[in-house]
């Protein structure tokens, strides 16, 4: 049933993209100008590529909750997953000392080790999966990844830890929700 749903979603995207392409071609034809062949080729390439879902881990690992949510979303929307661990080191420091530093190398190694269960589960569900480790401010890293991997459609991350002064009383604490936002 789920694979049928995925096929329907993909077909819907394909039909929508083809309609947009036809409309563009008609517009150019009505204006007496030929449609730009590069634009047509780009749109065909774009519709063949799945959307990209960026999943940001908390430190060097991914919680079970974020893994489950990301897998369900990627499967439902026919997205590819890009898992990201962000090193808790400012970009300038990382560039200065390099990845050969013991702590940074240790963080990268643990991140690559911890992502394996996520990768295996994604592959079992037929979801394309990639992983990377970066350092720096989250927004800057996301922009860099957009340039490196292409358009990121959605980002899923866990909330930052609340400050002690901002936390409600123990019995009234709401469950922390995942952050999901669109980049398109």
């Amino acid at each position: 049933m789920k694979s049928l749903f995925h096929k329907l979603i993909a077909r819907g995207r394909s039909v929508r993209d083809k309609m947009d392409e036809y409309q563009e071609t008609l517009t150019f034809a009505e204006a007496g100008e030929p449609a730009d062949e590069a634009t047509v080729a780009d749109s065909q390439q774009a519709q063949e590529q799945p959307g990209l879902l960026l999943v940001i881990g908390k430190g060097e690992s991914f919680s079970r909750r974020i893994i489950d949510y990301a897998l369900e979303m990627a499967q439902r929307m026919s997205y590819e997953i890009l898992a990201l661990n962000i090193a808790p080191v400012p970009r300038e420091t990382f560039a200065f000392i390099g990845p050969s530093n013991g702590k940074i190398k240790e963080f990268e190694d643990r991140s690559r080790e911890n992502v394996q269960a996520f990768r295996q589960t994604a592959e079992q569900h037929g979801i394309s999966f990639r992983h990377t480790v970066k350092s720096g401010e989250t927004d800057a890293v996301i922009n860099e990844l957009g340039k490196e991997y292409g358009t990121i459609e959605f980002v899923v991350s866990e909330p930052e830890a609340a400050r002690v002064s901002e936390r409600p009383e123990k019995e009234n604490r709401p469950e922390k929700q995942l952050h999901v936002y669109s980049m398109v």
Side-chain angles (χ1 to χ4, degrees):
M1 180 69 178
K2 287 185 180 180
S3 64
L4 176 64
F5 185 66
H6 293 126
K7 288 178 184 177
L8 288 174
I9 289 174
R11 173 84 68 192
R13 279 191 201 147
S14 176
V15 169
R16 183 188 64 224
D17 292 343
K18 283 187 186 222
M19 291 302 291
D20 289 345
E21 182 183 320
Y22 292 146
Q23 184 62 43
E24 184 176 323
T25 303
L26 284 173
T27 303
F28 279 110
E30 287 174 353
E33 297 180 24
D36 184 13
E37 290 179 17
T39 304
V40 173
D42 288 346
S43 78
Q44 286 174 345
Q45 241 182 2
Q47 71 192 119
E48 293 172 4
Q49 292 181 346
L52 187 60
L53 174 64
L54 177 64
V55 182
I56 302 174
K58 194 155 192 132
E60 62 199 29
S61 63
F62 297 88
S63 71
R64 185 80 240 160
R65 186 173 67 158
I66 201 166
I67 289 172
D68 291 343
Y69 186 90
L71 290 170
E72 182 182 330
M73 184 175 182
Q75 199 167 30
R76 223 177 336 120
M77 305 296 285
S78 299
Y79 284 159
E80 180 179 310
I81 292 178
L82 174 59
L84 168 67
N85 293 103
I86 300 178
V89 177
R91 175 174 238 92
E92 297 80 29
T93 305
F94 188 80
F96 178 70
I97 60 177
S100 61
N101 178 287
K103 294 284 184 192
I104 295 170
K105 179 85 170 106
E106 190 177 306
F107 177 86
E108 289 177 344
D109 291 344
R110 282 194 312 257
S111 295
R112 287 188 178 93
E113 181 180 313
N114 291 337
V115 80
Q116 291 308 314
F118 192 1
R119 178 186 307 279
Q120 289 171 351
T121 308
E123 290 172 355
Q124 288 171 355
H125 287 89
I127 299 169
S128 180
F129 186 93
R130 293 185 270 179
H131 174 249
T132 188
V133 179
K134 300 280 184 182
S135 69
E137 292 294 318
T138 302
D139 291 340
V141 170
I142 291 172
N143 287 332
E144 179 183 327
L145 290 175
K147 292 174 186 169
E148 189 175 334
Y149 291 94
T151 303
I152 296 169
E153 293 194 28
F154 283 95
V155 176
V156 179
S157 66
E158 298 208 46
E160 296 294 319
R163 293 186 185 114
V164 175
S165 62
E166 295 175 359
R167 286 191 271 172
E169 292 301 316
K170 190 173 188 171
E171 63 273 355
N172 295 329
R173 282 191 192 163
E175 180 183 350
K176 290 183 181 179
Q177 301 298 316
L178 296 174
H179 293 286
V180 180
Y181 50 96
S182 173
M183 297 295 291
V184 184

